[in-house]
């Protein structure tokens, strides 16, 4: 028989006839059958011989029948004798004959019956012999096939312990807990024992902490015994630090001896979890609870523990309990506060407790790189002037190592901290001396490394500088009536003049830097206070040196410093009082300063195991020498990051620790180092990488049991898979049933159900049933689901469809989600045509139908939901008969995207394969990535391939085509509903196909496509440049579909280092028109580039080639290296310049304008290479075509420049630039007409672009203001200036790049303005010089007049004043609007009309000619827009 253990549900067992009977029943039946067989066998051997065909029983019955027949015969004979008639004799004979026949028949039947019994007996005996032989062959001692398996479960969970055993006779199984027999009758609610198919199960219901133990199962029969055992560990909570069960926890929480005097039940509600804090913060751990009964006068007691120490109210911690809540507050966190915190609620009925870990990180260092603060500062061996201070070192994961510590002291009540040691002490212990007797002190420690000094530690508890021996010298004796007698040794010893020497001088502590000496005071010591002097001597020196010559020691111990390293010393002590000094004490043994504690060795193998989704259990082997260890520090690092982070910030004593705060799905490695007073060990070896996932457990319970169909004798049920698989794939389900009002459940299936739908057969029609389902995985069988509703076993005959089932919610986002379901099993009387999706918010009544028309698909995206609201959903199937039964209502769903939600993304791998990928950090080993198209699981292996590795999964398209368009989805099991979808549309498909094609058919990347350039001699170079080319690359040039080889006409070259391929054509002609192509191949990669030179493009290249050839030939003789160009000098001269090359003495240079030669004063020096022609003052007369010629016997060259049009304008702009830079400030010149503003320039031309402005308004040249200038000046003439003409005037000249401004403010220039010009009467405007009007019309002449004082206005006709009448009307409105109206004009009204406007300063006259023509005549032609010009009237002139 194989001894390999395998799960019971995976093994085929041979069962006899005891399939559904329990062990006890089978055992009784077997014993009874054995006894019956034995009795039958004994009867067989003991029966007398009745021949081969009879037995004792049959013979007895035969004799009885014969005796009865004889008796009857005798009776009848007696009756016959009493009658003597012949008739009676005949009757007797007849009856006797009948009796004999009956007896013969009875004997025949008896013999046949006896024969049958004999045959049956023979068969039974043969069967008994065969059964005995078979039993002898199969009898064996119990053998365990599948052993018990240890379990770690959470509190309040149920656990099932299973094992499989075989043997014959069937073994009897007994269960034990910690070697104590388990009897279900003693606690039926806790334990339940089952035995089925040779599988024995112990169910522990709602396990609590006390159920943590070793469980054993012992199987026994007549042939022997077998046993198996396992451990069950019950943890407190999944998210928090669990307490260790007894025997595993390295320490035990002490129980309080005080008992509360009532039975109170405490149930924790909201509990504090694993908490992370930082030094200096305030923090509160809270735990709310339900207390039953809640009696104010009798309450449970709340006790808080850190590790194994009871916490009390202090400066650092504050306790609170009341109103159903217990709280522990930290006023100022320090690393001393880190540890496992336990809240224990103590009642008479027992203790309820809860634990979680508090981590305290280092505060930010005051100096970057400085270490964290030390912790756990304590004082030991305090005396009058001496105390030893110890502490624990900080963890330095990323900082540089600690090189020492500074110890500070402070008297209680003061704030003056004094540093005790001048140089850093290297070990975590220091003797502080120089204390003042009777005073209390507190201490703190600071760590030092190469970067700086850390923050100070938390201060120690106060310690008093007192000698504890003084208390021993006083004895109190209690007598009757409360009296007491105090006896002091000082009184008993009397007066001692000179004290004796101290005794027992020895080294109580030895280190590398100091030695602590201790001794006993002299006995008797006397009443007087004693002091001590210590002397040292180096071994072999023969001389003594007093150590404390300046200050006497009051305590019987002293730390001696300044000892030479590697030397041995002896010591002695002298006691002194006011009477004198004692003799020296006995000399100590030689003492050599050295560290008695060494750095610990590194811990051993580190093993990390899964715990929760955010924590890992780390265990390690202790170092070889673990004496004097403070504990261990654990560091962790993300795989590949090489960055280590501390897990704990305070050393832990035990070699097992739960590292919290890790990221789900991430891989980590761990290391451990030991620490003692001397320092840290080396880091241990790193653990193997582990992915943070929850530990394996039994699956959670299924839910949502739904009746899908019923035919009156069977029911089809569906249910939803468990939310969590326990970290291992679910292998199947077990279903139980029971009728309504029945207590006992009965198994439905003996083998696993692999689907979430099952048909239960052999049911009673019209009976009510309820069902429950339990899931099984590799760990075991999980808790069963809640019982279903009572389903009636009645055949469904309705025409509408049954309910859909397996409603699944996925892709939950902020405003939408996707609902999936499976089609009803019962379709009704017609096929299903669609589905309606309903939803509503929790706690509301009205359902909302999401789709107006039924959807034919079995999925639906519900949109327009409210973020943060909770909804439930249901689905109804529809057929021709109507709407069917509603599905089970889904679980409440919170519409809110989870933080860090990831989506499916598409891509192409290095081989060109198109894929969809999804990553799920929450995935466990039991998680399954279910890919689907249109939310139907993909199982087409010809088109798709799925690869999953860790928390990554990819869906590959094998032969992508248009049929692959659609919606793809993925869901991850054993997570909190992680899912996503992706729409593959035409645009995305084309993008991926293009990228795939580029990878599968790689191209050589090009820096430059095929291009050309014309070289100096007219050669044409075609070239292309690739990113890179290997030495094995090949290429070819193709012109008009014909490959071109390297030749003198086509020079082909390849520079593979730079990726350049080129072809130079020596002579480019009209025959070279066409398409040029370069084809490159480098391994699998290919590319080509083409250049089309046809039509205008070819002509341009050809022209450029011919030009370059001509240029080359031109430069063979004298030529212009730079053709004619112009420039402007600083003196505003225009220079025409050119540069020449390849000249000689015989070369002739000439200037021409418009074909005529230009005489120059000086012949240019061609050897200098430059020639100039100066134009002093450019004007329009200088326009024309200028040429320069070069000639000699080698050739002739010409350069021309047309100085007109744009060239002329550009020169004017350049002149404006030079002239504008030289512009002088604006100057004022008074003239008879008014004021002239002038700006002097080096050069001025009216064609220059200038601008005059007044108060930022552009001025146009007119009668009032005239603009002009000369060769070196530009001016603005202001005629008859007035007050309105005051203000800023700006002259601006525009150059080719910028403009130049000059500004003048005339606001204060009143002395240049003539009053008579400002205030005389004048006509501002409005009158034309000629008016033509047809007779009979009305003529109105209107103008605006001005003057100060107001002028007098007079109208004249032909220089004569005329009187006003009805024909002539005159008006002056508002003193400024003057008008003359002529009604019904006639030809006599033609003539000159004048208006005179004058005051004391003078005035103006304006003439208007009026021409009247008759109706029908042609109107005379006049020039439009001509205004009458005023004539000035001097002040003295009379009107």
């Amino acid at each position: 028989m194989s001894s390999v253990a395998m799960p019971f549900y995976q093994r085929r067992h041979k069962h006899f006839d005891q399939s559904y009977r329990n062990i006890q029943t089978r055992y009784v039946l077997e014993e009874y059958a054995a006894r019956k067989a034995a009795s039958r066998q004994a009867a067989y051997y003991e029966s007398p011989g009745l021949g081969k065909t009879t037995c004792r029983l049959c013979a007895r019955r035969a004799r009885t029948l014969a005796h009865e027949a004889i008796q009857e015969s005798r009776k009848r004979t007696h009756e016959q004798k009493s009658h003597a008639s012949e008739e009676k004799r005949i009757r007797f004979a007849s009856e006797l004959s009948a009796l004999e026949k009956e007896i013969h028949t009875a004997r025949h039947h008896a013999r046949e019956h006896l024969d049958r019994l004999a045959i049956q007996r023979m068969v039974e005996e043969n069967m008994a012999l065969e059964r005995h032989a078979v039993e002898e062959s199969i009898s064996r001692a119990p053998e365990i096939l599948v052993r018990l398996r240890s379990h770690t479960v959470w509190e309040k969970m149920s656990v099932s312990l299973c094992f499989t055993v075989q043997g014959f006779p069937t073994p009897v199984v007994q269960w034990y807990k910690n070697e104590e027999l388990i009897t279900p009758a003693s606690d039926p609610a806790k334990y339940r024992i089952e035995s089925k198919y040779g599988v024995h199960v112990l169910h522990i219901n709602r396990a609590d902490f006390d159920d943590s133990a070793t469980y054993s199962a012992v199987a026994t029969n007549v042939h022997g015994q077998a046993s198996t055992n396992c451990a069950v560990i019950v943890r407190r909570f999944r998210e928090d630090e669990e307490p260790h069960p007894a025997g595993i926890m390295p320490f035990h929480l002490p129980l309080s001896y005080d008992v509360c005097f009532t039975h109170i039940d405490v149930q924790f509600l909201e509990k504090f979890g694993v908490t992370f804090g930082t030094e200096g913060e305030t923090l509160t751990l809270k735990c709310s609870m339900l207390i039953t009964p809640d009696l104010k006068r009798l309450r449970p007691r709340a006790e808080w523990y850190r590790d194994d120490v009871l916490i009390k109210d202090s400066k650092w911690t504050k306790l609170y309990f009341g109103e159903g809540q217990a709280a522990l507050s930290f006023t100022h966190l320090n690393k001393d506060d880190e540890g496992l915190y336990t809240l224990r609620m103590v009642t008479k009925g027992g203790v309820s407790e809860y634990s979680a870990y508090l981590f305290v990180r280092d505060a930010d260092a005051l100096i970057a790189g400085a270490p964290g603060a030390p912790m756990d500062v304590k004082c030991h061996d305090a005396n009058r002037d001496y105390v030893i201070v110890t502490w624990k070192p900080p963890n330095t994961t990323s900082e540089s190592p600690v090189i020492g510590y500074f110890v500070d002291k402070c008297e209680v009540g003061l704030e003056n901290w004094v540093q005790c040691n001048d140089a850093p002490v290297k070990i975590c212990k220091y003797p502080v001396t120089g204390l003042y007797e009777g005073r209390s002190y507190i201490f703190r420690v600071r760590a030092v490394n190469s970067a700086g000094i850390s923050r100070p530690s938390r201060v120690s508890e106060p310690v008093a500088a007192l000698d504890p021996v003084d208390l021993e010298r006083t004895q109190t004796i209690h007598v009757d009536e409360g009296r007491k007698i105090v006896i002091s040794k000082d009184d008993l010893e009397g007066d001692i003049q000179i004290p004796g020497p101290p005794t027992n001088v020895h080294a109580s502590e030895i280190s590398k830097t100091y030695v602590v000496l201790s001794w006993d005071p002299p006995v008797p010591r006397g009443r007087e206070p004693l002091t001590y002097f210590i002397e040292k001597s180096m071994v072999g020196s023969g001389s003594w040196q007093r150590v404390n010559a300046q200050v006497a020691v009051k305590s019987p111990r002293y730390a001696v410093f300044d000892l030479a390293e590697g030397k041995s010393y002896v010591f002695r002590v002298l006691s002194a009082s006011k009477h004198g000094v004692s003799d020296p004490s006995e000399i100590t043994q030689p003492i050599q300063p050295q560290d008695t504690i060494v750095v610990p060795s590194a811990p051993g193998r580190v093993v990390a195991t899964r715990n929760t989704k955010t924590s890992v259990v780390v265990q390690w082997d202790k170092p070889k020498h673990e004496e004097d260890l403070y504990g261990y520090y654990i560091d962790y690092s993300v795989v590949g990051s090489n960055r280590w982070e501390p897990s704990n910030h305070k050393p832990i004593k035990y070699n097992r620790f739960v590292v919290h705060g890790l990221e789900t799905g991430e891989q980590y490695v761990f290391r451990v180092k030991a620490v003692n007073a001397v320092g840290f060990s080396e880091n241990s070896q790193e653990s193997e990488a582990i992915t943070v996932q929850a530990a394996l457990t039994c699956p959670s319970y299924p839910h949502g049991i739904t009746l899908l169909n019923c035919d009156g004798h069977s029911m089809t049920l569906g249910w939803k898979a468990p939310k969590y698989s326990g970290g291992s794939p679910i292998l199947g389900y077990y279903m139980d049933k029971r009728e309504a009002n029945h207590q006992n459940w009965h198994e439905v299936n003996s083998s696993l159900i692999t689907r979430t739908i099952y048909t239960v057969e052999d049911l009673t029609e019209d009976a009510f049933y309820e069902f429950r389902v339990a899931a099984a995985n590799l760990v075991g069988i999980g808790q069963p689901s809640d019982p279903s509703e009572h389903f009636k076993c009645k055949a469904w005959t309705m025409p509408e469809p049954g309910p859909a089932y397996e409603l699944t919610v996925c892709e939950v986002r902020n405003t939408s989600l996707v609902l999936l379901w499976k089609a009803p099993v019962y379709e009704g009387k017609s096929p299903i045509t669609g589905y309606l999706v309903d939803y509503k918010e929790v706690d509301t009544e009205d359902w909302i139908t999401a789709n107006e028309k039924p959807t034919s698909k079995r999925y639906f995206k519900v949109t327009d939901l409210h973020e943060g609201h909770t909804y439930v959903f249901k689905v109804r199937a529809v057929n021709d008969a109507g709407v069917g039964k509603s599905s089970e209502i889904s679980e409440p769903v919170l519409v809110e995207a989870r933080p860090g939600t990831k989506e499916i993304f598409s891509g192409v791998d290095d081989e060109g394969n198109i894929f969809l990928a999804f990553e799920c950090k929450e995935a466990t080993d039991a998680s399954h990535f279910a890919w689907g198209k249109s939310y139907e699981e993909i199982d087409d292996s010809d088109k798709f391939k799925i690869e999953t590795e860790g928390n990554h999964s990819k869906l590959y398209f094998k032969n992508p085509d248009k049929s692959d368009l659609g919606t793809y989805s993925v869901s991850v099991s054993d997570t909190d509903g992680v899912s996503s979808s992706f729409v593959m549309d035409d645009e995305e498909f084309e993008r991926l196909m293009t990228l795939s094609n580029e990878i599968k058919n790689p191209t050589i990347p090009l820096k430059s496509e095929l291009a050309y350039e014309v070289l100096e001699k007219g050669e044409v170079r075609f070239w292309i440049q690739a990113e890179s080319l290997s030495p094995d690359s090949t290429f070819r040039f193709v012109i008009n579909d014909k490959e071109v080889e390297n030749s003198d006409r086509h020079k082909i070259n390849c520079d593979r280092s730079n990726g350049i391929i080129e072809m130079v054509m020596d002579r480019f002609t009209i025959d070279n028109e066409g398409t040029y192509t370069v084809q490159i191949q480098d391994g699998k990669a290919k590319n080509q580039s083409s250049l089309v030179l046809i039509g205008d493009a070819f002509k341009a290249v050809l022209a450029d080639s011919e030009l370059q050839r001509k240029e080359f030939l031109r430069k063979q003789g004298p030529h212009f290296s730079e053709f004619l160009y112009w420039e402007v000098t600083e003196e505003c001269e225009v220079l025409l310049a050119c540069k020449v090359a390849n000249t000689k003495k015989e070369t002739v240079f000439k200037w021409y304008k418009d074909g005529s030669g230009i005489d120059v004063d000086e012949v240019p020096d061609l050897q200098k290479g430059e020639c100039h022609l100066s134009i002093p003052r450019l004007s329009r007369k200088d326009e024309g075509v200028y040429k320069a010629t070069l000639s000699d016997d080698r050739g002739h060259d010409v350069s021309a420049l047309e100085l007109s049009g744009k060239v002329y304008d550009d020169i004017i702009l350049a002149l404006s630039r030079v002239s504008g830079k030289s512009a002088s400030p604006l100057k004022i010149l008074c003239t008879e007409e008014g004021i002239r503003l002038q700006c002097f320039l080096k050069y001025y031309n009216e064609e220059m672009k200038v601008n005059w402005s007044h108060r930022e308004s552009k001025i146009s040249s007119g009668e009032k203001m005239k603009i002009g200038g000369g060769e070196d000046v530009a001016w603005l003439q202001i005629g008859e200036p007035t007050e309105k003409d005051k203000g800023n005037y700006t002259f601006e000249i525009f150059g080719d790049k910028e403009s130049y401004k000059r500004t003048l403010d005339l606001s204060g220039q009143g002395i240049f303005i003539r009053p008579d010009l400002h205030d005389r009467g004048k006509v501002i405007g409005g009158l034309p010089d000629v008016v033509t009007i047809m007779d009979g019309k009305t003529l109105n002449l209107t103008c605006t007049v001005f003057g100060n004082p107001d002028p007098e206005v007079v109208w004249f006709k032909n220089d004569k004043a005329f009187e006003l009448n009805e024909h002539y009307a005159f008006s002056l409105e508002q003193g400024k609007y003057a008008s003359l109206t002529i009604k019904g004009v006639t030809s006599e009204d033609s003539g000159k009309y004048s208006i005179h406007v004058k005051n004391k300063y003078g005035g103006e006259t304006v003439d208007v000619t009026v021409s009247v023509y008759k109706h029908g005549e042609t109107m005379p032609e006049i020039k439009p827009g001509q205004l009458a010009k005023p004539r000035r009237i001097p002040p003295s002139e009379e009107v």
Side-chain angles (χ1 to χ4, degrees), residues 1228-1377:
I1228 302 173
L1229 177 65
C1230 292
T1231 64
E1232 291 184 358
E1233 291 80 10
I1235 298 175
R1236 176 174 291 186
L1237 302 182
Q1238 301 179 117
C1239 181
F1240 293 94
L1241 309 162
K1242 286 186 176 180
Y1243 171 75
Y1244 181 74
N1245 188 319
E1246 291 183 354
E1247 295 177 359
M1248 289 181 175
K1249 185 178 179 182
V1250 298
N1251 182 28
W1252 289 89
S1253 58
H1254 177 217
R1255 297 176 183 174
E1256 298 183 357
S1257 296
K1258 183 178 179 181
I1259 299 174
S1260 299
S1261 182
E1263 289 295 329
K1264 174 66 177 176
M1265 295 188 178
K1266 297 180 180 179
I1267 297 175
E1271 288 188 355
D1272 57 355
V1273 63
W1275 49 261
L1276 171 67
Q1277 179 70 42
I1278 305 174
E1280 298 181 5
T1282 64
E1283 289 292 333
K1284 293 182 180 180
D1285 297 324
K1286 290 185 177 182
N1288 280 327
Y1289 286 83
T1290 301
F1291 170 71
E1292 185 175 10
I1293 182 170
F1294 297 90
D1296 50 359
K1297 294 182 181 179
E1298 58 182 326
S1299 63
Y1300 305 90
K1301 295 182 179 180
R1302 298 294 184 267
T1303 303
L1304 179 65
D1305 187 0
L1306 281 182
S1307 299
Q1309 306 297 329
I1311 57 173
F1312 299 105
I1313 301 175
R1314 289 169 51 186
D1316 60 326
L1317 294 177
H1318 278 275
D1319 299 332
R1320 66 180 176 82
K1322 52 187 175 179
V1323 179
I1324 295 178
L1327 292 176
D1329 58 349
V1330 177
V1331 176
T1332 303
I1333 188 171
M1334 188 173 65
D1335 61 353
K1337 300 291 184 179
T1338 299
L1339 175 64
N1340 184 278
L1341 300 176
T1342 303
C1343 65
T1344 304
V1345 300
F1346 173 78
N1348 187 16
D1350 292 338
E1352 179 182 2
V1353 179
V1354 180
W1355 288 90
F1356 294 87
K1357 179 180 179 183
N1358 296 327
D1359 297 329
K1360 294 182 180 180
F1362 58 88
E1363 296 181 358
L1364 301 178
N1365 51 36
E1366 294 181 356
H1367 187 61
Y1368 297 100
F1370 166 73
S1371 66
L1372 180 62
E1373 298 178 1
Q1374 301 178 9
K1376 59 179 180 178
Y1377 301 112

Side-chain angles (χ1 to χ4, degrees), residues 689-857:
I690 184 173
T691 302
V692 181
Q693 294 178 354
L696 295 179
T697 61
C698 293
S700 59
Y701 55 86
H703 57 283
I705 301 176
T706 307
L707 178 61
L708 303 179
N709 193 12
C710 180
D711 60 6
H713 301 286
S714 65
M715 291 183 180
T716 301
L717 302 171
W719 60 89
K720 293 182 181 179
K723 192 172 184 181
Y724 295 103
S725 67
S728 176
I730 293 177
L731 301 174
Y733 302 91
Y734 288 104
M735 179 182 286
D736 298 332
K737 69 176 181 180
R738 68 180 178 187
E739 290 191 40
N741 302 323
H742 285 215
Q743 297 296 324
N744 296 328
W745 290 93
H746 303 280
E747 279 190 347
V748 172
N749 58 306
S750 58
S751 58
L752 285 168
I753 302 171
T754 57
R755 300 175 58 197
T756 56
I757 184 172
Y758 189 73
T759 300
V760 184
E761 305 285 352
D762 302 328
L763 302 179
T764 304
E765 189 171 4
D766 293 332
F768 286 89
Y769 292 90
E770 58 180 345
F771 303 87
R772 67 181 186 184
V773 182
N777 65 2
L778 188 63
V779 179
I781 303 174
Q783 285 296 303
S785 65
D786 293 333
S788 68
E789 300 178 8
H790 288 88
F791 298 133
K792 186 176 182 179
C793 186
K794 184 176 181 179
W796 286 8
T797 59
M798 66 275 194
E800 298 85 4
Y805 68 102
E806 275 199 37
L807 264 68
T808 304
V809 177
C810 60
E811 299 179 35
V812 179
R813 301 299 184 260
N814 287 333
T815 58
S816 66
L817 53 80
V818 175
L819 192 66
L820 311 177
W821 62 88
K822 290 188 176 180
V825 175
Y826 179 80
E827 291 188 349
K829 299 302 182 182
S830 60
I832 295 174
T833 58
Y835 301 90
L836 295 174
V837 177
D838 303 326
Y839 68 93
K840 72 181 183 72
E841 288 194 40
V842 174
D843 300 330
T844 61
E845 298 295 333
D846 298 331
W847 286 89
I848 301 172
T849 302
N851 51 327
E852 296 180 359
K853 296 181 180 180
T855 176
S856 60
K857 301 175 181 177

Side-chain angles (χ1 to χ4, degrees), residues 480-498:
D480 56 347
E481 298 181 0
R483 293 178 295 174
K484 58 184 178 181
I485 300 174
V486 179
I487 302 175
S488 174
K489 287 188 178 181
D490 293 342
D491 298 329
L492 298 177
E493 291 176 350
D495 294 332
I496 301 297
Q497 296 297 322
I498 297 177

